[in-house]
Amino acid sequence: MEKKKVLICDDQYLIRQLFSLIVSGSENYTVVKELQTAYTAADYCREHEVDLVIMDIVMPDGSNGLDAAWQIKNENKNIKVLIVTSMPEAGYLDRARAIGVDSFWYKEVEDEQLIDVIDRTMNGEKIFPDEALTVDIGWAKSSDFSKRELDVLRLMTKGMTDPEIAEELQLSYETVRTHVKRMTSKTGLSRVKLAIEARAHGIAIGE
């Protein structure tokens, strides 16, 4: 049986090497390429035969694995895409489902082994966690925030002021202030510290 061809896309060298060892350790797969940026992933899939892409999301060069996954799935739905991330940003799960990603796996925290997720994905299953990864932020957990609070928090992490957030989300200034006060109360953190911690922990970093 011909081995399935796997493309690995992750900015961290050690992670790429680890994934490559896991994939190559199976008689069913062969790694055809390792990329450290999502910018060129779709181009590679367009020019070469690929059966599965293992794709990280956030990369320091500004490229985004979900953008690349959308392009790959839009051009060739037969290519399976497995998103792997350590970021607990809840919006990633929703967007991954919306663009047709085949499976989603959290690095280092999932009970199921990566190779098992790969096998199930290649057999046609869609493997997604029930909910986003939960991490602590101050006194609260990331799951304690409402969807609208997370919308506000994402813009806070970009350094936007409350009036700017109100305009962006088409909310009143008072409503934005209420969301900010609730989040600072939940976490015990100042507005600035909350934004810094949310960004650092990958809780609300957006697309």
Side-chain angles (χ1 to χ4, degrees):
M1 182 181 69
E2 184 178 359
K3 292 186 176 183
K4 298 296 184 181
K5 298 176 175 60
V6 180
L7 168 65
I8 296 172
C9 185
D10 195 294
D11 64 290
Q12 297 183 55
Y13 173 77
L14 291 178
I15 294 294
R16 293 198 306 274
Q17 291 298 294
L18 174 61
F19 287 173
S20 183
L21 285 172
I22 291 172
V23 171
S24 301
S26 169
E27 62 182 13
N28 298 320
Y29 311 106
T30 184
V31 176
V32 293
K33 187 70 173 179
E34 295 178 19
L35 298 176
Q36 62 180 359
T37 175
Y39 280 129
T40 56
D43 290 337
Y44 186 88
C45 290
R46 196 178 299 117
E47 298 169 4
H48 302 83
E49 184 179 348
V50 176
D51 298 298
L52 171 69
V53 180
I54 300 176
M55 179 83 73
D56 193 10
I57 299 178
V58 180
M59 304 191 192
D61 65 356
S63 61
N64 185 299
L66 288 174
D67 292 339
W70 176 85
Q71 191 171 1
I72 291 168
K73 296 299 288 187
N74 191 52
E75 295 179 1
N76 189 342
K77 296 188 183 304
N78 291 325
I79 296 177
K80 305 286 188 182
V81 177
L82 166 58
I83 292 292
V84 294
T85 184
S86 58
M87 297 294 179
E89 161 64 70
Y92 289 159
L93 271 175
D94 294 336
R95 188 175 179 216
R97 288 190 176 97
I99 65 180
V101 161
D102 297 278
S103 294
F104 194 108
W105 187 78
Y106 283 115
K107 298 177 185 177
E108 302 174 356
V109 299
E110 296 281 19
D111 292 332
E112 188 164 12
Q113 297 297 310
L114 177 60
I115 192 63
D116 295 327
V117 175
I118 292 173
D119 287 339
R120 293 174 63 188
T121 300
M122 294 307 296
N123 285 330
E125 290 188 61
K126 286 187 175 292
I127 314 300
F128 279 79
D130 294 331
E131 57 187 17
L133 180 66
T134 299
V135 298
D136 294 331
I137 177 167
W139 299 334
K141 294 186 178 299
S142 53
S143 56
D144 293 335
F145 299 111
S146 69
K147 183 179 184 303
R148 183 53 87 184
E149 286 172 345
L150 288 172
D151 291 339
V152 172
L153 188 53
R154 288 186 188 99
L155 299 183
M156 287 170 57
T157 66
K158 296 180 180 180
M160 294 177 67
T161 64
D162 291 347
E164 290 172 335
I165 294 172
E167 182 178 358
E168 177 72 18
L169 297 178
Q170 297 185 333
L171 299 172
S172 70
Y173 170 77
E174 291 75 16
T175 298
V176 171
R177 287 298 303 151
T178 297
H179 287 310
V180 173
K181 287 179 180 178
R182 285 176 179 169
M183 288 188 288
T184 56
S185 177
K186 288 177 183 179
T187 60
L189 302 175
S190 68
R191 186 189 192 284
V192 173
K193 185 67 172 176
L194 172 61
I196 292 173
E197 289 292 309
R199 183 74 188 185
H201 287 85
I203 293 169
I205 56 179
E207 298 176 358

